[in-house]
Amino acid sequence: MKTKGLQQGVWWLSLAVLAALCLFGGCGSSELIFPTEYQAVFLDNGQAFFGKVSDTGSPYLMLREVYYVQTLVEQDKKTTANILIKRGSEWHNPEFMRINSRHVVVIEPVGADSRVAQLIREAKAAPAAKPESSAPAPEPKAASPPPPPAPAPAPAAPPAPSPSGRRR
């Protein structure tokens, strides 16, 4: 009987230790911590974004200071060039992105010495591009009057009489 009581005591102690670990050790916490300033977020549609990830435990993770790669193709030279674009210069000027976590394939740290990190540093050091003017669009010019109608064609001459003397 003492073994049965001892087994129950060990079981309850194990359960208490497990509960304490879960409560105080972050069991169930799905917030990711990265050792680098920027992360690469790859989506299931092939898109990749670079930025500062937060709210990874949320159904919609947060990405700030967002950059993405755009490929430029020069048809005449048959060359391509990849450039890093800072998101936020679009017309709606977004400050962050919320990404549906179900579409995230992988999140990786961007190495401090990587080409992406270098391009981000260069973009931050460069003067910011001026956004388009917020002045209202110019009023459309008044439509010019339509051109005068073309002169009517001259009336056709009556048909020549046929040899039989009748008109056709």
Side-chain angles (χ1 to χ4, degrees), residues 141-165:
K141 294 182 181 178
S144 57
S162 66
S164 64

Side-chain angles (χ1 to χ4, degrees), residues 4-99:
K4 187 175 184 182
L6 184 61
Q7 287 176 345
Q8 283 182 342
V10 170
W11 187 84
W12 282 109
L13 181 61
S14 299
L15 184 62
V17 169
L18 183 62
L21 285 174
C22 285
L23 289 174
F24 301 112
C27 181
S29 171
S30 56
E31 186 68 27
L32 301 175
I33 308 282
F34 291 95
T36 59
E37 185 177 9
Y38 291 95
Q39 293 77 46
V41 179
F42 297 94
L43 304 180
D44 58 5
N45 64 2
Q47 289 181 303
F49 295 98
F50 305 94
K52 296 180 178 183
V53 174
S54 62
D55 292 344
T56 55
S58 166
Y60 292 88
L61 65 86
M62 172 84 72
L63 192 61
R64 294 190 181 275
E65 292 187 42
V66 183
Y67 295 86
Y68 59 93
V69 175
Q70 185 175 40
T71 302
L72 302 176
V73 178
E74 292 189 44
Q75 296 292 339
D76 54 336
K77 295 180 182 176
K78 297 184 181 176
T79 60
T80 60
N82 292 324
I83 59 170
L84 192 69
I85 305 290
K86 178 157 184 9
R87 186 164 164 77
S89 58
E90 296 83 3
W91 286 9
H92 61 292
N93 197 20
E95 294 179 11
F96 61 89
M97 288 178 71
R98 284 280 189 181
I99 301 173

